[in-house]
Amino acid sequence: MYKEVNEHGYYGIYGGAYIPEMLQKNVDELRVKYLEITQDSSFKAEFEDLMRNYVGRPTPLFHAKKLSAKYGFKIYLKREDLCHTGSHKLNNVIGQALLAKRLGKKKIIAETGAGQHGVASATAAALLGLECTVIMGELDMQRQQPNVMRMKMLGAEVIPATTGTKTLNDACNEAIRYWMSNNENTHYLLGSVVGPHPYPDMVAKFQSIISEEIAKQLLNLEGRSHPDAILACVGGGSNAAGAFYHFIDDQRVALYGAEAGGCGPDSGKTAATLTIGTDGIIHGFKTILMQTEDGQVCDAHSISAGLDYPGVGPLHAHLHSTRRGVYLPINDEEAIKAAFELTREEGIIPALESSHALALLPKLKMKPTDIVVVNLSGRGDKDMATYIEVMNNM
Amino acid sequence: MSRIKALFASKSKKILSVYVTAGFPSLNDTISVIEELECNGVDMVELGIPYSDPIADGPTIQESSAIALQNGMRIKVLFEQLSELRQRVSIPVVLMSYFNPVNVFGFEKFCQYASNVGVDGLIIPDLPCYEYEAMKYDKIVNKNNLTFNMLITSETPEDRIRKIDKMTSGFIYMVSTTATTGGTNGISESQISYFKKVSEMNLKNPLMVGFGVHNKQTFEEATSFCNGAIIGSAFIRILRKSSNIENSIKEFVSSLKG
């Protein structure tokens, strides 16, 4: 079994809870209660109702015929971009916001990179009557202005992280600090399969609705419930964890993750953690990490603000180290090219994150009868400024 | 007897420990700052190894860490600097580090190096108890004549405090708040009652209060029920704006003790 954590929250040697004592009470509370609460039938019913009637699930599994013809195998797109707020993020956010309410919390604190998780958090908070504060790197706030305005319109307070590179890593640090200083009524609504146990397991389980649907939809469309390969982008790795989840222990399914190669894994401007990283600890968990030989965390770079994270979720570190998953770096240019290809071939403008997953397609060697599912994790509206810049330079 | 044990044996009240970031304000200030602190009557020093992602620290210490890293501070550089520690300093020195740099360096090797240069103890706030137990780190710590000093907060349950007391071998670091370092509010009544409650638990380790202690008043309040207190951010702020480190340290320590 690859996908189950042990009692201390480890997948193999990755995971755990490396937290200062100041966070122990909150993390313990979550660890003790999250399974009990999320497995409760009334919680499940409320979650499923909101997934269906608010988020818009099940999201379609779309047969991309032109892409399939181009690459010579059958390609399906799992349309998480059609979720309310434009990405898979809302699955986890609704789950955690419901959990926060059952834990008696009044406020949520969230970190965000590209703003998708921040917008999703602000949305769930508005829906469920929770106060919401989102921490976002100052640089990311400049890169993702429309999402900042969406969060504010939804009633969230957006606080800039002004330390370090002023991006996602710093937003995570600041959010943890904020939680530490305001822990009584506040739930830290973590946006990916990272952080101290139980977050990676909890978020993976909320996102596993993606693979659950893929299995059902493929059965209807193809008469079998598994694809031959699944492709997803990996920053922290929540959409990939969700798309892989039900197939992780099914060796018939190849799992491919696209890391943000940035300017190239050896360029010093990259977020290809699993390609160049080493074992380390960040944001309260053990994983594979981009770090110096002294254990200082390196700055991450990607054209996509949602992927420039120097670590990766422990499940992915485990799948990578056991070779169950294959993780390949995709450079900024390859991601852009894939984004324009999907737009022109199928009329879908993908998020820059998802474009990394699409850029894996030309790297695959598949048979014509093989079925490949690409998890289209988000829509590209938020990345229009980057796309416009590219078009202006064409 | 270790320097930490000797300190607590000779002085049970109002022990003043000061935190300083290694390599701050300048790379080669590490030993001279500790030396000045000792000259002015500070009882113990907590020497912080700068880290890129210090989640338990507030902006003041985080900034000092960033400056120290820019100055070129690295663990190897620090141990080279500390090779002359015991020629110049006799008070106990405790190394504080986040776990990742220690783990990457190698826990056992780190303890050996620390012991060889005359360091007396370790504080690693994000090293979980279960890993400390499972990896039998206590044996490595003891073998190298170090102490391991764990944290508690006002929200740590009694049974966990007792477990931490059992695992701790120097002093218990009582975090006065659940926030990060650097707060400058006074000590509240609920904090005082927390200090009192823990002091009445008859733990085997002495109690040092940290976080939020920043002047004579908060030092007096924090130490009224405990053995001593650790001052960090307030001292870093002094160093940050100092044009004469010797004078600044003298004034700072006398303002706490005077």
Side-chain angles (χ1 to χ4, degrees), chain A residues 187-210:
Chain A
H187 171 72
Y188 178 19
L189 209 165
L190 225 167
S192 194
V193 283
V194 299
H197 176 62
Y199 280 103
D201 182 52
M202 180 171 73
V203 177
K205 286 191 164 100
F206 284 136
Q207 292 294 4
S208 69
I209 194 166
I210 302 171

Side-chain angles (χ1 to χ4, degrees), chain B:
Chain B
M1 188 186 281
S2 76
R3 288 181 201 88
I4 289 182
K5 283 201 167 38
L7 170 63
F8 287 104
S10 65
K11 187 174 179 182
S12 62
K13 283 284 170 194
K14 306 226 177 294
I15 291 171
L16 173 60
S17 179
V18 172
Y19 169 93
V20 61
T21 304
F24 176 82
S26 300
L27 179 64
N28 293 315
D29 285 337
T30 313
I31 297 275
S32 51
V33 168
I34 302 173
E35 209 172 13
E36 282 304 317
L37 288 167
E38 177 174 29
C39 286
N40 287 283
V42 167
D43 301 302
M44 182 161 61
V45 166
E46 185 188 326
L47 184 60
I49 296 176
Y51 183 47
S52 54
D53 293 69
I55 54 172
D57 288 305
T60 304
I61 290 179
Q62 181 177 18
E63 190 190 13
S64 72
S65 291
I67 292 169
L69 289 172
Q70 280 163 17
N71 289 342
M73 180 46 75
R74 305 180 56 187
I75 289 184
K76 281 179 188 165
V77 173
L78 177 60
F79 282 130
E80 279 164 24
Q81 289 181 351
L82 291 180
S83 64
E84 58 176 301
L85 175 72
R86 289 304 163 199
Q87 280 91 61
R88 293 170 59 181
V89 174
S90 57
I91 55 173
V93 172
V94 176
L95 281 183
M96 182 271 172
S97 177
Y98 287 89
F99 188 42
N100 195 47
V102 175
N103 196 40
V104 168
F105 192 82
F107 189 87
E108 183 153 17
K109 186 175 150 195
F110 185 86
C111 290
Q112 285 164 355
Y113 275 54
S115 179
N116 287 344
V117 296
V119 162
D120 303 288
L122 306 176
I123 297 171
I124 306 178
D126 58 343
L127 172 56
C129 290
Y130 64 78
E131 181 151 339
Y132 190 76
E133 279 181 312
M135 300 297 286
K136 301 196 187 312
Y137 284 147
D138 58 334
K139 288 199 166 65
I140 298 169
V141 167
N142 294 338
K143 195 173 80 181
N144 288 288
N145 298 314
L146 296 166
T147 62
F148 199 79
N149 309 285
M150 290 186 161
L151 277 60
I152 63 167
T153 76
S154 57
E155 294 187 337
T156 308
E158 188 173 331
D159 55 347
R160 187 170 162 86
I161 293 177
R162 297 214 178 271
K163 185 179 177 185
I164 285 170
D165 185 43
K166 210 172 159 188
M167 295 168 81
T168 290
S169 53
F171 58 87
I172 285 181
Y173 192 131
M174 282 181 75
V175 178
S176 66
T177 68
T178 54
T180 54
T181 58
T184 53
N185 294 327
I187 304 282
S188 67
E189 277 186 25
S190 66
Q191 284 169 302
I192 295 284
S193 67
Y194 150 59
F195 301 156
K196 197 176 168 198
K197 186 193 87 182
V198 178
S199 69
E200 286 168 356
M201 284 176 69
N202 292 318
L203 302 176
K204 75 174 168 83
N205 288 284
L207 302 171
M208 295 290 289
V209 177
F211 290 42
V213 184
H214 60 279
N215 57 15
K216 184 174 168 57
Q217 188 195 339
T218 48
F219 180 72
E220 293 290 330
E221 286 168 347
T223 54
S224 56
F225 293 98
C226 308
N227 303 87
I230 302 158
I231 297 184
S233 299
F235 180 61
I236 296 291
R237 281 192 282 271
I238 298 287
L239 285 185
R240 182 89 172 94
K241 63 183 182 192
S242 172
S243 54
N244 182 325
I245 289 179
E246 273 181 42
N247 284 347
S248 299
I249 292 177
K250 191 174 180 181
E251 281 172 28
F252 176 71
V253 179
S254 69
S255 77
L256 295 166
K257 295 188 133 196

Side-chain angles (χ1 to χ4, degrees), chain A residues 18 21 173 177 180 294 296, chain B residues 52 57 74 131 160 178:
Chain A
Y18 295 81
E21 188 66 22
N173 286 327
R177 288 200 189 105
M180 223 181 274
D294 266 359
Q296 306 290 345
Chain B
S52 54
D57 288 305
R74 305 180 56 187
E131 181 151 339
R160 187 170 162 86
T178 54

